Amino acid sequence: MWLAFRNGTVYDLRSGVFAVDDPHGGQPWGPERSVRARIVAWLLLDGPPALAGRVSSLKLQGLQITDVLDLAGGTIDPYVELKQCRFEKEVLLPEARFTTVRLVDCSVPRLEGARVHTEGDLHLPRCRFHHGIRLTDAHIGTDLLLNQAVVFRDRRGKSLTADGLTVGQDLQAELVETHGEISLRGATIGVSLSLRGSRLSNTQGRHALNAPQMSVERTMYMTPAGLGNPWQFSGSTPARGTRVQRFQCVGGIRLDDGRFGDAVDLDSAHFVLANDQEISLRRIQTPELRFLGERPRRGRVVLSGAKIVNLVDKAAGWPGPGQLRMGGFAYENLIPLGPFPLTQRLEWLAAATPEYNPEPYERLAAVLRNSGEDADAREVLLSKQRRRRETLPPAAKVWGYLQDWTVAYGYRPGRAAVWMAVLWAVGAFAFHHAPHPPMKPGEGPQWDSTLFALDLLLPVIDLGQSSSWSLRGGWQWAAAIMVILGWILATTVAAGATRLLRRN
């Protein structure tokens, strides 16, 4: 091993038999395959110089490292790569500085790496961590790779504790299996965060992924991953026909106050929530939210205060009444995948507002109007008035039903025009039989009940009939009612025409 270190070559003690060499299996490894952690630390911290023309590096394969590997606070210049190794006890890396570290397919009781610093990568693919990983305030110069790792909980119920983590480029955790909370509070990811095909589970806590105030420069993926060759599909969508594994989360997700430069992608994601757990996206900011997962049967989806440009969704992905919160949710464009008729979109709003709240309706109406769907926007505002009506006292509720039945709260101006035509016809017929002495005998136009009724119905416009003829008794009340109804209906028609002209 000493010579391999100076020569930069691999020191390999594998037997060639998979059942024996599997670091996660139950086959014991004897002293002939063991090295003390103290020797490994000595090589890394104060090892011999490289042979002439070579670069010293520690490359071990198939070894068992006994005792605690303690590199806390050290500066390790050699390249480190350990494959299919077993660690008898935990690995301590707090405040250590590395160039690049790769632990591949290793069995590790626990990795303690608070404030560890690497100039290059930290790779931990296919490893098993039996008591969790701690990377609090760690700084990874380029990539953090956890693909296909299996991470069990520590004594505090955390599988990965990485609050304040900084990753220069990608954090890839594809096809990962966790059995405790992943904590990424305030983490900063320089490019993308990929959880493709991962299975997160925390059955003994509130959150499976707890990452408020996280910043991702590009996209966060919680989407399927290809199983045939994970490396081939890492960072990309699996090709058609490839067997895939969906992202699955048993437990809540918290991404509150997160910033995502390109998108948050939940395509085909599957969530298993308890009644008090949430997919919490409060106040996140991202150009695109792809909410395309399966509808959670329990729990809540919370989008309160989120700011999105494009909302890509499907009707079957949203939860039912009482499971959706989106007060203050701002979005500019709706991009449904598959059928999402307005009736279902209104049910989506109703599910988000178990108690009446006008803001979600007004937001949807503005988005539809901006996209040219003016008729749909009026239907949304009409639905808002109908929801509001249910909160009113009885007298106001009766008046609301009357407005809805007659003019649809003014959002169907064509109906108001029809009512005006009906009133005009009824008035013309009724006033034909009314006594009508002239105001000034011998002056004014000739009596015409049709023009008289129209003069009463049309506000502002004076046809000279209503001011020239006098009515008595009940006919005066009929004329007054015609004037009032005319003002109401004409105002409704004018408002509808104004909205149409403004839109055009």
Side-chain angles (χ1 to χ4, degrees):
M1 186 174 69
W2 192 273
L3 181 60
F5 176 83
R6 297 188 65 193
N7 202 34
T9 56
V10 177
Y11 184 63
D12 189 350
L13 293 182
R14 291 178 301 169
S15 67
V17 179
F18 175 79
V20 175
D21 293 333
D22 183 8
H24 315 295
Q27 186 73 30
W29 292 356
E32 71 282 357
R33 294 186 62 170
S34 300
V35 60
R36 287 177 293 170
R38 179 181 176 185
I39 302 301
V40 175
W42 184 11
L43 281 173
L44 292 175
L45 295 170
D46 194 22
L51 296 176
R54 308 296 294 179
V55 177
S56 59
S57 59
L58 185 66
K59 299 178 181 178
L60 305 180
Q61 194 159 357
L63 273 72
Q64 177 170 268
I65 299 170
T66 61
D67 299 325
V68 176
L69 178 58
D70 189 352
L71 299 171
T75 298
I76 294 91
D77 293 324
Y79 171 84
V80 181
E81 182 177 275
L82 284 73
K83 294 183 177 180
Q84 294 182 310
C85 291
R86 284 181 184 172
F87 289 83
E88 184 182 62
K89 297 183 178 179
E90 61 187 0
V91 177
L92 303 180
L93 307 178
E95 301 190 35
R97 301 182 70 88
F98 293 86
T99 51
T100 292
V101 182
R102 289 190 171 95
L103 304 182
V104 180
D105 199 16
C106 293
S107 176
V108 187
R110 178 172 174 80
L111 177 64
E112 282 279 357
R115 297 175 299 281
V116 67
H117 186 286
T118 70
E119 295 179 12
D121 301 333
L122 175 59
H123 285 191
L124 305 170
R126 301 195 299 280
C127 290
R128 289 194 179 187
F129 299 91
H130 302 280
H131 300 287
I133 303 172
R134 186 183 181 197
L135 294 173
T136 306
D137 296 317
H139 179 92
I140 310 303
T142 50
D143 296 334
L144 173 58
L145 187 67
L146 290 163
N147 290 355
Q148 296 178 282
V150 179
V151 190
F152 296 92
R153 68 179 64 245
D154 61 15
R155 62 180 179 275
R156 296 180 301 167
K158 305 288 183 68
S159 58
L160 171 61
T161 305
D163 300 337
L165 170 71
T166 300
V167 179
Q169 294 185 17
D170 293 320
L171 195 169
Q172 291 190 15
E174 301 180 2
L175 297 169
V176 163
E177 180 183 327
T178 63
H179 298 272
E181 179 182 304
I182 296 178
S183 184
L184 292 168
R185 294 169 176 262
T188 301
I189 313 301
V191 183
S192 296
L193 168 57
S194 178
L195 292 166
R196 289 182 174 94
S198 291
R199 294 182 172 178
L200 314 185
S201 176
N202 185 14
T203 57
Q204 300 180 22
R206 185 176 180 82
H207 299 107
L209 174 60
N210 188 17
Q213 299 181 324
M214 179 170 63
S215 176
V216 178
E217 189 68 22
R218 296 188 64 182
T219 301
M220 179 175 183
Y221 296 97
M222 289 177 272
T223 57
L227 292 176
N229 184 348
W231 305 111
Q232 178 182 352
F233 300 115
S234 177
S236 62
T237 302
R240 184 181 297 275
T242 303
R243 192 165 66 95
V244 299
Q245 178 172 296
R246 295 182 302 172
F247 172 83
Q248 177 177 296
C249 183
V250 180
I253 287 182
R254 184 184 178 205
L255 300 177
D256 298 352
D257 300 294
R259 302 293 182 267
F260 306 89
D262 284 351
V264 176
D265 194 343
L266 297 168
D267 186 14
S268 303
H270 177 64
F271 299 97
V272 180
L273 305 175
N275 289 329
D276 62 341
Q277 293 177 334
E278 298 177 341
I279 302 171
S280 180
L281 305 174
R282 291 176 173 88
R283 299 176 299 279
I284 69 165
Q285 294 185 22
T286 181
E288 187 164 286
L289 172 62
R290 302 169 192 155
F291 199 87
L292 301 169
E294 289 188 2
R295 174 184 289 124
R297 295 184 179 180
R298 296 188 295 173
R300 290 181 297 274
V301 176
V302 185
L303 288 161
S304 302
K307 293 183 178 180
I308 311 296
V309 178
N310 297 325
L311 176 59
V312 184
D313 63 350
K314 61 180 182 179
W318 293 105
Q323 293 181 269
L324 181 60
R325 299 286 187 275
M326 54 184 191
F329 175 36
Y331 51 95
E332 298 180 16
N333 302 299
L334 285 172
I335 308 175
L337 293 187
F340 206 146
L342 184 62
T343 53
Q344 288 185 294
R345 188 65 75 178
L346 291 173
E347 291 174 1
W348 174 65
L349 286 186
T353 53
E355 297 181 357
Y356 170 68
N357 181 3
E359 190 275 334
Y361 288 89
E362 292 166 1
R363 169 64 59 179
L364 177 58
V367 170
L368 291 173
R369 189 179 298 115
N370 291 337
S371 63
E373 303 292 338
D374 201 51
D376 286 350
R378 290 197 299 271
E379 286 296 321
V380 172
L381 294 175
L382 175 58
S383 181
K384 180 192 77 168
Q385 293 293 343
R386 288 169 175 168
R387 284 291 306 277
R388 175 179 175 271
R389 182 176 65 205
E390 302 306 314
T391 67
L392 298 177
K397 190 178 293 186
V398 170
W399 173 244
Y401 277 111
L402 180 62
Q403 284 183 296
D404 193 359
W405 183 66
T406 54
V407 294
Y409 290 95
Y411 291 111
R412 292 177 183 167
R415 183 183 294 183
V418 170
W419 276 110
M420 286 193 72
V422 170
L423 285 173
W424 183 18
V426 171
F429 176 79
F431 290 124
H432 179 73
H433 303 283
H436 50 278
M439 290 284 193
K440 297 179 180 180
E443 299 182 10
Q446 184 178 354
W447 166 259
D448 189 320
S449 61
T450 302
L451 291 178
F452 184 82
L454 184 61
D455 201 3
L456 293 175
L457 279 174
L458 293 179
V460 181
I461 300 175
D462 185 5
L463 300 179
Q465 287 285 333
S466 62
S467 59
S468 300
W469 306 98
S470 175
L471 301 181
R472 298 286 187 268
W475 293 108
Q476 284 184 312
W477 285 103
I481 292 173
M482 286 281 288
V483 170
I484 294 172
L485 292 176
W487 272 100
I488 294 173
L489 295 174
T491 303
T492 301
V493 172
T498 301
R499 280 193 295 266
L500 180 60
L501 291 173
R502 185 185 300 119
R503 180 63 207 163
N504 290 338

